[in-house]
Amino acid sequence: GLGIPADPLFRSRDSIKNRIFIPINRNLDMAFGYLMLFSVLITPVIMVGFGLVFLKDPPKSINAAYGYRTKRSMRSQDTWDFAHHYFGKLWLVCGLVSIPFSLVPVWLVVDKSKDVVSLTGLIVLGLQVILLLTPIIPTEKALKNIFDEFGRPR
């Protein structure tokens, strides 16, 4: 460009820097991608786990500490038992279905920049929250259809 000879020492240092730091940055991005891959599995695994617990060994009695606790589900022991079985089944299915739908998008970008991985992970986690909460609606509708306002079967 300006007729100034290139400094071979500077070029050498730049080359060494690029050989050292670029692979480190790339490895950190990959590590972040794999961390996100693990992170997007947490919600589905919790849904599957609690789905199984609510199906196989739900809380025996109505309590304010643990379980599917809504006004309708806590009206009677029958509503409590029904809600846990119904909600547990939905969470189990939703959790199992969400595992591949969570892994695939992140797996496709696991080697991309942190920004791409972060955005993908954020979208997946947002969809997981929707899937996490959506089973409340059919569970409450089923409780309303099967039980009266006092928790007695219709």
Side-chain angles (χ1 to χ4, degrees):
L2 299 174
I4 303 172
D7 180 0
L9 184 58
F10 178 76
R11 194 177 324 168
S12 170
R13 274 186 294 193
D14 190 46
S15 176
I16 291 170
K17 183 182 94 174
N18 285 340
R19 278 189 244 143
I20 293 172
F21 291 111
I22 288 177
I24 289 173
N25 287 340
R26 200 169 295 138
N27 287 339
L28 288 176
D29 284 350
M30 284 288 286
F32 181 75
Y34 285 113
L35 177 63
M36 185 61 72
L37 202 58
F38 171 76
S39 297
V40 298
L41 281 177
I42 293 171
T43 302
V45 166
I46 288 172
M47 289 174 73
V48 168
F50 275 100
L52 288 171
V53 167
F54 286 173
L55 280 171
K56 305 282 184 195
D57 190 29
K60 301 294 181 234
S61 59
I62 300 170
N63 67 79
Y66 163 70
Y68 179 82
R69 295 170 297 138
T70 64
K71 190 175 178 181
R72 275 197 180 97
S73 71
M74 296 175 75
R75 284 192 177 142
S76 70
Q77 190 63 45
D78 287 340
T79 58
W80 181 257
D81 295 338
F82 174 84
H84 281 86
H85 182 78
Y86 195 91
F87 188 76
K89 195 183 314 182
L90 290 175
W91 252 21
L92 177 61
V93 170
C94 288
L96 289 172
V97 166
S98 70
I99 289 173
F101 288 104
S102 299
L103 284 177
V104 169
V106 177
W107 183 256
L108 292 173
V109 300
V110 75
D111 61 342
K112 306 294 186 227
S113 71
K114 284 183 185 177
D115 290 343
V116 172
V117 173
S118 297
L119 181 61
T120 305
L122 184 64
I123 291 168
V124 168
L125 290 172
L127 293 171
Q128 287 177 347
V129 168
I130 292 168
L131 200 56
L132 181 77
L133 299 175
T134 299
I136 295 170
I137 297 166
T139 303
E140 290 301 304
K141 283 183 179 180
L143 283 167
K144 186 177 180 180
N145 291 335
I146 295 170
F147 299 96
D148 67 14
E149 63 273 6
F150 302 105
R152 296 179 300 224
R154 291 191 188 270

